[in-house]
């Protein structure tokens, strides 16, 4: 019997997302900071002789199956599944004749703006590299990751990264302190292409030009130790240009954003800043400590439509073999 190779890759939140104008392909230039989170997708790969690739999805937590493994994922044709596409790309690139039976254990909500599908692709690339005995370093897989989706390179590398180009050209920004992030998922998903299309209706609000580097001051805030003195400045770093278009499509997200943004600490300073995660509808808010994270989660959960709050931490490593 063939041995099974298991790899995992993390979800992400975009701590900063500035969106530029679309190009002729309709893709947008981005200036973004990816922050990986300790919620991981897992892909197990068992080689098969006949070259075929099959996939089975299963929820990481069966009691949450409605959120993490909706029926539409099983209805997705196998050739469109990002883990299958990743293994196919490895076969085609390296002339591999071996196939694979994949079991994808989903922990990250689908279509939530946390790059769940991209994490599957990254984990599948890493599992396939090991299963097929390829001695290529991670950086050599980045061009393949880019072909699979704009978020896939960030899931492959994990940690904290500056993303430019389509968000798929990356530079490591660490080390940074471990931070808590409260991620409030939604009962209804939101399509990434639709959010970008909505953004195109207001071209005047998209940056004409984007920076290529973070400023010294921004980097210092990201990398510095958090304290109640620096927290408000750190919060001011957080922004997401996709918020407005996402709110136009999903006005229900405005109330939980405003509710959490109104929370204050004992000194009457903002407790956090709630932002849209990627293209949404998941909302994200960092916390200075666990009690603050719990308070933020409780507040999010008072709003209809919020499905579940995850209290996560990061940054974490990218794709790993188990
Ligand atoms: C919103 C983010 O999650 C932020 O990290 C990403 O930009 C989206 O990454 P992703 O879902 O991996 O994106 P892809 O699968 O490559 O593309 C999905 C759709 O998003 C839009 N898209 C994506 C990336 C980008 N730089 N510009 C875009 O306009 C395109 O309409 C594309 O058809
Ligand atoms: N392995 C996969 N897991 C989830 N969705 C997948 C997968 N493969 C393909 N898809 C398709 O991609 C769509 C978006 O899925 P995903 O969960 O990655 O969204 P997302 O978290 O919003 O992504 P991102 O943050 O990268 O924009 C799904 O609706 C589904 O049709």
């Amino acid at each position: 019997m063939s041995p099974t190779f298991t790899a995992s890759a993390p979800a992400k939140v975009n701590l900063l997302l500035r969106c530029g104008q679309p190009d002729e392909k309709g893709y947008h230039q981005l200036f973004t900071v990816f922050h990986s989170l300790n919620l991981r997708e897992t892909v197990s790969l068992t080689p098969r002789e006949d070259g075929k690739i099959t996939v089975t999805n299963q929820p990481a937590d069966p009691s949450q199956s409605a959120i993490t493994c909706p029926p539409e994922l099983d209805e997705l044709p196998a050739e469109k599944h990002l883990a299958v596409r990743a293994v196919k790309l490895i076969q085609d690139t390296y002339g591999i004749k071996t196939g694979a039976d994949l079991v994808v254990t989903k922990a990250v909500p689908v279509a939530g703006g946390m790059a769940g599908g991209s994490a599957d692709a990254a984990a599948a690339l890493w599992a396939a590299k090991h299963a097929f005995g390829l001695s290529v370093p991670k950086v050599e897989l980045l061009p393949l990751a880019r072909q699979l989706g704009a978020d896939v390179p960030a899931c492959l590398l994990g940690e904290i990264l500056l993303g430019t180009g389509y968000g798929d050209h990356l530079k490591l920004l660490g080390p940074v302190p471990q931070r808590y992030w409260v991620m409030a998922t939604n009962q209804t998903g939101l399509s990434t292409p639709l959010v970008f299309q909505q953004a195109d209706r207001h071209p005047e609000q998209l940056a004409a030009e984007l920076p290529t580097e973070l400023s010294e001051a921004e980097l210092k805030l990201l990398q510095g130790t958090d304290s109640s003195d620096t927290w408000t400045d750190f919060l001011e770093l957080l922004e997401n240009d996709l918020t407005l278009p996402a709110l136009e499509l999903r006005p229900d997200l405005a109330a939980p954003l405003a509710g959490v943004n109104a929370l204050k600490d004992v000194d009457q300073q903002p407790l956090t800043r709630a932002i849209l995660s990627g293209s949404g509808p998941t909302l994200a808010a960092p916390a200075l400590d666990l009690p603050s994270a719990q308070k933020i989660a409780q507040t999010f959960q008072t709003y209809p439509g919020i499905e579940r709050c995850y209290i996560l931490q990061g940054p974490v490593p990218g794709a790993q073999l188990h």
Side-chain angles (χ1 to χ4, degrees), residues 12 14 17 26-28 30 34 118 149-151 166 192-193 196 279:
K12 59 82 184 169
N14 301 80
L17 195 160
Y27 266 70
H28 297 73
L30 301 180
F34 290 103
S118 304
D151 281 339
Y166 293 149
T192 303
F196 277 106
S279 54

Side-chain angles (χ1 to χ4, degrees), residues 236-313:
E236 281 174 14
L237 275 182
L238 312 180
E239 62 179 58
N240 183 342
D241 284 353
L242 297 179
T243 308
L244 223 66
L247 286 180
E248 284 171 347
L249 296 169
R250 291 290 300 274
D252 58 298
L253 298 174
L257 273 178
V260 168
N261 278 327
L263 292 171
K264 298 278 186 277
D265 69 10
V266 284
D267 299 320
Q268 293 310 303
Q269 295 300 309
L271 191 66
T272 187
R273 176 181 278 199
I275 52 171
L276 188 78
S277 174
S279 54
T282 298
L283 302 178
L288 191 50
D289 50 33
L290 188 57
S292 307
Q294 286 161 336
K295 189 168 171 189
I296 293 164
Q298 276 164 10
T299 306
F300 269 133
Q301 259 160 340
T302 58
Y303 292 90
I306 299 295
E307 177 95 66
R308 180 176 171 183
C309 278
Y310 294 79
I311 297 179
L312 301 177
Q313 277 181 285

Side-chain angles (χ1 to χ4, degrees), residues 73 76 80-82 106 110-118 120 151 192:
L73 199 56
L76 196 70
K80 292 204 169 158
H81 194 293
L82 276 157
K106 296 210 62 83
V110 173
M114 291 167 75
S118 304
D120 292 346
D151 281 339
T192 303

Side-chain angles (χ1 to χ4, degrees), residues 62-128:
S63 69
Q64 296 294 333
S65 58
I67 303 171
T68 55
C69 213
E72 58 265 32
L73 199 56
D74 288 324
E75 286 157 18
L76 196 70
E79 67 276 11
K80 292 204 169 158
H81 194 293
L82 276 157
V84 174
R85 288 181 50 213
V87 176
K88 176 86 176 53
L89 191 57
I90 292 264
Q91 282 180 325
D92 293 348
T93 307
Y94 296 101
I96 306 287
K97 302 280 179 252
T98 312
D101 289 319
L102 303 176
V103 178
V104 178
T105 306
K106 296 210 62 83
V108 180
V110 173
M114 291 167 75
S118 304
D120 292 346
L125 284 176
W126 204 235

Side-chain angles (χ1 to χ4, degrees), residues 55-266:
V55 66
T56 312
N57 303 298
Q58 63 183 29
D61 172 359
S63 69
Q64 296 294 333
S65 58
I67 303 171
T68 55
C69 213
E72 58 265 32
L73 199 56
D74 288 324
E75 286 157 18
L76 196 70
E79 67 276 11
K80 292 204 169 158
H81 194 293
L82 276 157
V84 174
R85 288 181 50 213
V87 176
K88 176 86 176 53
L89 191 57
I90 292 264
Q91 282 180 325
D92 293 348
T93 307
Y94 296 101
I96 306 287
K97 302 280 179 252
T98 312
D101 289 319
L102 303 176
V103 178
V104 178
T105 306
K106 296 210 62 83
V108 180
V110 173
M114 291 167 75
S118 304
D120 292 346
L125 284 176
W126 204 235
K129 168 205 137 73
H130 288 90
F132 301 151
L134 300 170
S135 54
V136 289
K138 218 177 232 184
V139 5
E140 219 172 281
L141 295 178
L142 287 174
L144 303 195
R146 279 185 202 113
Q147 289 180 49
L148 294 164
D151 281 339
V152 181
C155 295
L156 193 64
L157 295 188
E159 306 298 345
I160 184 159
L161 303 155
L162 178 66
T164 53
Y166 293 149
D168 56 348
H169 288 265
L170 302 171
K171 181 177 157 188
L172 267 169
L173 292 176
V176 304
Q178 284 285 306
R179 293 189 167 107
Y180 288 101
W181 280 87
V182 182
M183 305 298 291
T185 66
N186 209 277
Q187 282 161 4
T188 319
L190 184 55
S191 146
T192 303
L194 273 188
V195 174
F196 277 106
Q197 279 162 29
Q198 187 68 23
D200 290 341
R201 292 172 196 240
H202 308 286
E204 74 290 350
Q205 284 171 13
L206 298 177
E209 220 174 309
L210 289 167
T212 53
E213 296 285 351
L214 287 170
S215 70
E216 285 284 313
E218 288 170 328
L219 208 52
K220 207 166 149 208
L221 280 171
L222 267 187
Q223 294 178 336
T225 313
D226 293 326
S227 73
S228 42
D229 292 338
T230 56
W231 188 242
T232 314
D233 293 333
F234 169 72
L235 295 180
E236 281 174 14
L237 275 182
L238 312 180
E239 62 179 58
N240 183 342
D241 284 353
L242 297 179
T243 308
L244 223 66
L247 286 180
E248 284 171 347
L249 296 169
R250 291 290 300 274
D252 58 298
L253 298 174
L257 273 178
V260 168
N261 278 327
L263 292 171
K264 298 278 186 277
D265 69 10
V266 284

